Amino acid sequence: MAQWTSAVGAAQLARLLNSQQGRPAGAATRRPPAYRALADGIRLLVLEGRVPVAARLPAERELALSLSVSRTTVAAAYEALRAEGFLESRRGAGSWTAVPAGNPLPARGLEPLPPETLGSMIDLGCAALPAPEPWLTRAVQGALEELPPYAHTHGDYPAGLPALRAMIAERYTARGIPTMPEQIMVTTGAMGAIDAICHLFGGRGERIAVESPSYANILQLMREAGARLVPVAMAEGLTGWDMDRWRQVLRDAAPRIAYVVADFHNPTGALADEDQRRRLVEAARSAGTVLVADETMTELWLDDVSMPRPVCAFDPAGSTVVTVGSASKAFWAGMRIGWVRAAPDVIRSLVAARAYADLGTPVLEQLAVNWLFSTGGWEHAVELRRGQARENRDALVAAVRKELPSWEFEVPQGGLTLWVRAGGLSGSRLAEVGERVGVRVPSGPRFGVDGAFEGYVRLPFTVGGALAEEAATRLAAAARVVESGGSGGGESPRTFVA
């Protein structure tokens, strides 16, 4: 019986490997033998999760043809991977990817590090900040006071607590978009909301248009739901969307869903202007595409910026635009409360489908968010969050400019992430070496479709002060190793106490 659970075709693997050609090798860069470069490339794909563990690799002859190399080169690369524990083979069953004993399985999303590793590893993988106290404690205490009446019920509210649905609807109305509670469903975070939307509208094999780059965890969620992702390149810099490209994709590909982050886009930090929002809604309506607008970063403006109207302002009935919001970025990632705003019939369909998923969202957390909304605590907490993110952003920008002057980026006016062109270096190799020198950073290809953005990394505004300086110092050390063609194996991380 074969030990592999999926397969990677020769053409697909060749595309992924070719995407790693982040820069031409300089005179000082040691060029490894062809087989070694191929083995390293496949190993990186496995470590990043872009090629799954237990995936059957193409036969040597097939891969050699796709890469235009000799079969001997592929055979030597496979043998090197077997010796290192990244490949297993059996006569008649082929070869499949593996990880060496003792290594953790590669994460295909952006999971936070375990707390016990934080003393020696600076985690720039997860764009989330600590809770804005004392508001978390006050919210939970307020929720406990409101809990007794709910404790006498069954506790299942598939659409969400009526009080919280009414409060969220009221907040949209205050923003100029009249909304009824019947247009709101409370979910388990924004991920839960988008998962429900994809299952309702998408279906296996359906096309979903996504910004390129886009949020890594959402891309992976859609892949695992069986969607066919259609990337739409972002405009240059922080100017939002390229509307000519969007119109062409919506017209020619006719995707069932389009997923966008208009407010301080993750990972680029771009802010789409009001005219772009209007035109995108019109294009989606003409194409019959459901436009999913992710508002998780909406309240995280860090500079004095005039915010455009929400995307749903151009479709107030919710027939084309389905809006997703969340408490996780603006307040705390541990507060897994999200919501969907859409037409009442869409909400009813989402609620009906929920009976076969998670049934509902925890009552206590809903009460905590409702307490924040109803008492003004939310505004105080978010203002505290903005201050933390602003200080961290400024410290990180200064540190990266000092330690890595060849890295290029534009400073966003809000959000939690900096999208950085890494001076011609491979983002995948920086991520791999970074972990060895004590800094965890996600590489650009995690945020693209089919290997794009190899020359980028994403840096979140989660560390500040001396810790931001230390993170930049470690990134610079990783960059020197990658530049020299080394593996970073001789580096060891220092324990850092902020």
Side-chain angles (χ1 to χ4, degrees), residues 56-111:
R56 186 181 186 274
L57 295 186
E60 296 169 2
R61 188 186 303 277
E62 294 174 4
L63 186 57
L65 287 171
S66 292
L67 294 173
S68 298
V69 300
S70 71
R71 182 177 177 181
T72 302
T73 296
V74 177
Y78 279 14
E79 183 57 38
L81 290 169
R82 277 190 288 269
E84 295 164 4
F86 285 95
L87 196 67
E88 295 181 10
S89 304
R90 195 174 67 194
R91 186 179 298 277
S95 299
W96 56 92
T97 55
V99 292
N103 279 35
L105 287 175
R108 304 197 71 183
L110 299 176
E111 292 79 5

Side-chain angles (χ1 to χ4, degrees), residues 247-293:
R247 278 196 300 270
Q248 180 180 356
V249 167
L250 293 178
R251 181 184 66 244
D252 296 346
R256 186 70 182 93
I257 300 172
Y259 168 76
V260 297
V261 183
D263 301 316
F264 310 119
H265 173 260
N266 186 354
T268 67
L271 178 65
D273 64 34
E274 195 158 299
D275 183 58
Q276 289 171 328
R277 297 166 191 239
R278 178 188 295 106
R279 291 162 64 194
L280 185 58
V281 172
E282 291 171 354
R285 183 181 294 116
S286 296
T289 297
V290 176
L291 183 60
V292 180

